[in-house]
Amino acid sequence: MILTDKQVDLDIIDRKIIAALREDGRMTVTDLAREVGISKTPCQVRLRRLLDSGVIRGFRAVVDPASLGLDHVAFTEVKLSDTREQALSEFNAAVRRLPEVEECHMIASSFDYLLKVRTADIRRYRIVLGEKISSLPHVSSTSTFVAMETVKDANS
């Protein structure tokens, strides 16, 4: 197998550990070891290696956005006026500072970025779009798609 610079060589046990933790990141190492069929000490060693190598980036609580009053999702296409490296870096740094932007992806398309934006409602989204997103460095235009229902989400 040819590995890229970031890719880590994972065997079947490593993949089982990852799958188990994706289902329940709070399970104990003892339960994890039992789940993947190895003893506790080798499981701890493998888990530490997965964490140290960045394969597992961390653990966090998955929160229901609706319970926080943040159940409005919009996808925003962003076109930049300048796509040289410096402009891209400036945009990337600025968009990372917007708490309403859950995801930001550079896209190979007729636009440059696709943002997933979560707010309380359409009025709040309009403010975020007008005062924050449109003011990001090098933004020349935006287009919005409002999600009516989330059928599948990475955190579900």
Side-chain angles (χ1 to χ4, degrees):
M1 169 188 349
I2 298 172
L3 300 176
T4 65
D5 290 341
K6 272 187 98 164
Q7 204 169 6
V8 176
D9 192 18
L10 303 172
D11 66 16
I12 187 101
I13 300 296
D14 293 328
R15 293 180 188 282
K16 285 181 178 180
I17 289 170
I18 294 164
L21 290 173
R22 288 183 81 171
E23 286 297 314
D24 179 6
R26 292 183 57 153
M27 73 171 48
T28 66
V29 174
T30 302
D31 290 341
L32 180 60
R34 186 178 311 114
E35 175 85 18
V36 302
I38 61 176
S39 63
K40 183 178 174 181
T41 301
C43 187
Q44 286 174 315
V45 170
R46 285 174 177 266
L47 181 56
R48 174 57 38 210
R49 183 176 55 82
L50 292 168
L51 287 161
D52 291 346
S53 66
V55 171
I56 297 176
R57 296 190 294 192
F59 299 91
R60 63 179 149 277
V62 178
V63 179
D64 175 29
S67 67
L68 301 175
L70 298 172
D71 54 354
H72 182 270
V73 176
F75 293 90
T76 308
E77 293 179 353
V78 177
K79 291 183 185 180
L80 301 183
S81 58
D82 183 355
T83 55
R84 292 175 289 181
E85 238 8 84
Q86 178 69 30
L88 296 175
S89 293
E90 291 169 3
F91 176 85
N92 293 347
V95 80
R96 285 185 186 107
R97 291 190 293 270
L98 298 183
E100 297 88 356
V101 177
E102 280 191 352
E103 297 179 20
C104 174
H105 304 275
M106 181 185 276
I107 302 292
S109 182
S110 59
F111 56 96
D112 301 301
Y113 287 89
L114 182 64
L115 312 181
K116 179 181 178 186
V117 183
R118 185 176 293 278
T119 58
D121 53 38
I122 192 72
R123 283 185 205 88
R124 181 68 190 147
Y125 173 75
R126 185 177 170 279
I127 293 167
V128 169
L129 177 65
E131 295 181 6
K132 295 183 178 185
I133 295 171
S134 295
S135 299
L136 291 170
H138 311 287
V139 170
S140 67
S141 66
T142 63
S143 183
T144 296
F145 303 89
V146 174
M148 296 189 317
E149 177 183 6
T150 299
V151 177
K152 181 179 178 183
D153 184 296
N155 294 317
S156 299

